[in-house]
Amino acid sequence: MNTALTVPRTFPLFRHIRFLATTAGSSPPKPTFSQTLASGPSLDDFIAGSGSERVILGNAKGPRLPSFLKTSIPSGKSFSKIKKDLRGLNLHTVCEEARCPNIGDCWGGETQEATGVHGRSTATATIMLMGDTCTRGCRFCSVKTSRTPPPLDPHEPENTAEAISRWGVGYIVLTSVDRDDLVDGGAQHFAETIQKIKYKAPQILVEALTGDFGGVLDHVSVVAKSGLDVYAHNVETVEALTPFVRDRRATFRQSLSVLEHAKKQGVRITKSSIMLGVGETEAQVLETLRELRKSDVDVVTFGQYMRPTKRHMKVDRYVEPMEFDQWKRVAEDMGFLYVASGPLVRSSYKAGEYYIENVLRGKGIEKKTASPASHSLSTVTHPFS
C-alpha cells in the first residue's frame, strides 16, 4: 500500500507584520502637564484682559440690560399667601404669565404704618381671566396662544371674587386674554367677575384692563357698566409701529374708540399704557399722547419694553430714567389726571399705591378741572428741547 507523506505548508513570520516608516531621528518628548501649564496664560493675563482670545456669552450685538432694570427675587408673607390662593383656586395672573419684573413689589405690598392707608394693604395682583391662552399673538407678549383655547371656567368669577376678598387688598386689577373665539369676546364673563367682587368686598377698587373686543362697542359697554372703578385698555405703542408690535387684528384707532366709548358709558377714569424702547420717536410719542387726550383718557403710564424670550421682538434701546421723568412732565402738562412713568412701570404696576389715596378716593380729582379741548396741545412741540 502506497502512502504519501503530507508536509504542512509553512509561512514566514514577517508576512503578518506591518512595517511603518520612521524618521531617522528620534521624536521630541511630549511636554508634561506642568510644562504646558507654565507656558500658558497666567492669572494676571485674565484679570488684565490681555488674553489672546475671549469667550463672549449671550448676544453681544444687542443693548445690555442696565442695572436699573434688575429686580430682586420676590418673597414675603403677602406674596406667599397670594400665590397659595391662586394655585388652590386654579386662577391665573398676568404677573406670572407675562413674566412681570414687579411681581415681588406688587404682591408684597407694604405695611399700614408705611403707607398710611387705614385698614387695607397696598398689595396688588393682576388676575388674568378666561384662561392662560390667548387667541392673538402680539410680538411683545409671552402669554401662550392658540386659535382654539379651552372653554371658559364657569366657576372662575366666583373663585376670583372669593380669593380677592381674602387678601385684604385695597385695589385689584382684572385683565384677560383675548378670546376672539367667543361670541362676545368674554365681555359677560368679565362683567360677572367684577359684580361678584363688588358684592363680596365692596370696598375694593376694581380696574378692568380689557382687550378691544374686536372693536364691537356693545361688548365694551357690558364691561363699562359692570360697576368697575377704572376702565383700562392699552394702545401699547405709537400708531406707526402698531402693525409691527401688536397682532394684526388690533389697530391704534380701534383702541382709541374703545377708550372713548368706555368714558361715554359713565366710567369715572379711563387709562392706557405706552411701551418705550421699541423704535418710537419723540414726535410719535407726543402725537400718541395728543390722541389719548382727545379721547378723554385720564391716566397714562410709560414703561420700558423688556424682551420676554428670544422668540419675541428685540429691544430697540433701553430708555434712561431721566427720559421717563421728562415724559411724565410732558403728559402732566397736557392735562392727564395721573401719570406713572419709569423703566419698571407696567400698566397695573403698584396700582393700589398709585390710585387709592391720590385719585380714586377723591384726592386729586380736582387736578383735571378743564376739558381736553381747553388744553392747547399744539403748544407742546419739542418736549426735550
Side-chain angles (χ1 to χ4, degrees):
M1 184 176 181
N2 188 15
T3 59
L5 182 63
T6 303
V7 180
R9 187 176 179 184
T10 60
F11 298 91
L13 293 177
F14 61 83
R15 184 180 179 90
H16 300 286
I17 298 176
R18 184 178 179 185
F19 295 93
L20 301 176
T22 59
T23 58
S26 60
S27 59
K30 185 177 180 180
T32 63
F33 175 75
S34 59
Q35 291 174 331
T36 303
L37 189 63
S39 62
S42 66
L43 179 61
D44 292 335
D45 293 327
F46 286 102
I47 294 175
S50 59
S52 58
E53 295 182 359
R54 288 186 181 184
V55 177
I56 300 176
L57 302 177
N59 181 15
K61 296 181 180 179
R64 293 180 62 85
L65 186 70
S67 59
F68 55 78
L69 286 172
K70 297 177 181 179
T71 58
S72 58
I73 298 173
S75 62
K77 181 184 291 187
S78 178
F79 176 88
S80 300
K81 177 176 173 55
I82 290 176
K83 187 171 184 177
K84 181 179 179 181
D85 286 343
L86 289 169
R87 297 293 83 80
L89 294 171
N90 193 31
L91 299 177
H92 305 280
T93 67
V94 73
C95 317
E96 296 171 297
E97 300 296 334
R99 306 183 184 188
C100 180
N102 303 311
I103 187 170
D105 286 343
C106 290
W107 289 19
E110 292 180 352
T111 63
Q112 233 176 277
E113 293 75 14
T115 61
V117 180
H118 180 68
R120 52 182 59 88
S121 167
T122 60
T124 61
T126 303
I127 301 293
M128 191 165 71
L129 303 175
M130 297 187 270
D132 61 352
T133 306
C134 187
T135 54
R136 298 190 184 182
C138 297
R139 295 185 62 205
F140 64 89
C141 183
S142 64
V143 175
K144 59 186 177 182
T145 64
S146 172
R147 292 181 180 178
T148 56
L152 297 181
D153 177 6
H155 303 293
E156 186 177 54
E158 179 67 29
N159 288 343
T160 302
E162 178 62 28
I164 291 170
S165 64
R166 293 179 192 170
W167 296 341
V169 297
Y171 193 106
I172 193 72
V173 182
L174 302 177
T175 189
S176 73
V177 292
D178 281 293
R179 292 299 299 260
D180 298 293
D181 59 313
L182 303 176
V183 175
D184 67 345
Q188 187 58 49
H189 188 88
F190 215 131
E192 183 184 352
T193 305
I194 296 170
Q195 291 162 357
K196 286 187 178 294
I197 292 172
K198 286 294 187 178
Y199 177 77
K200 286 182 176 288
Q203 78 281 2
I204 295 179
L205 300 169
V206 179
E207 174 185 325
L209 174 58
T210 76
D212 58 17
F213 296 110
V216 181
L217 298 182
D218 287 342
H219 300 162
V220 176
S221 297
V222 171
V223 180
K225 295 179 178 180
S226 63
L228 51 75
D229 297 285
V230 177
Y231 193 108
H233 174 68
N234 294 338
V235 294
E236 306 293 4
T237 187
V238 299
E239 185 170 14
L241 294 179
T242 296
F244 308 101
V245 174
R246 302 173 69 188
D247 185 275
R248 58 181 176 79
R249 288 163 284 187
T251 68
F252 184 81
R253 294 294 160 179
Q254 186 166 278
S255 291
L256 290 178
S257 69
V258 168
L259 291 162
E260 189 172 349
H261 185 74
K263 197 60 175 290
K264 290 178 180 178
Q265 298 304 301
V267 172
R268 186 179 177 189
I269 292 176
T270 53
K271 173 185 170 187
S272 194
S273 182
I274 303 171
M275 295 183 298
L276 300 182
V278 298
E280 70 288 333
T281 65
E282 291 177 9
Q284 290 171 338
V285 176
L286 188 60
E287 182 60 28
T288 301
L289 292 175
R290 290 195 181 105
E291 293 296 336
L292 290 173
R293 287 300 297 122
K294 287 178 184 178
S295 299
D296 203 13
V297 173
D298 302 285
V299 177
V300 65
T301 65
F302 297 91
Q304 170 68 53
Y305 166 63
M306 295 175 69
R307 190 182 189 185
T309 71
K310 291 183 179 180
R311 299 190 306 271
H312 294 82
M313 68 178 188
K314 296 180 180 179
V315 176
D316 179 71
R317 70 186 178 103
Y318 288 113
V319 181
E320 292 293 325
M322 184 180 297
E323 186 173 334
F324 280 104
D325 293 340
Q326 289 172 319
W327 280 121
K328 177 179 173 67
R329 289 192 293 270
V330 169
E332 287 175 342
D333 290 343
M334 284 183 161
F336 284 95
L337 174 64
Y338 191 85
V339 183
S341 182
L344 288 171
V345 168
R346 295 295 179 265
S347 177
S348 54
Y349 175 50
K350 285 195 174 180
E353 182 180 355
Y354 283 151
Y355 300 121
I356 286 178
E357 286 294 328
N358 295 328
V359 179
L360 290 176
R361 302 206 182 278
K363 297 180 181 180
I365 293 295
E366 66 277 2
K367 178 179 177 182
K368 193 184 75 170
T369 56
S371 64
S374 67
H375 293 279
S376 180
L377 302 183
S378 60
T379 60
V380 187
T381 55
H382 300 288
F384 303 132
S385 59

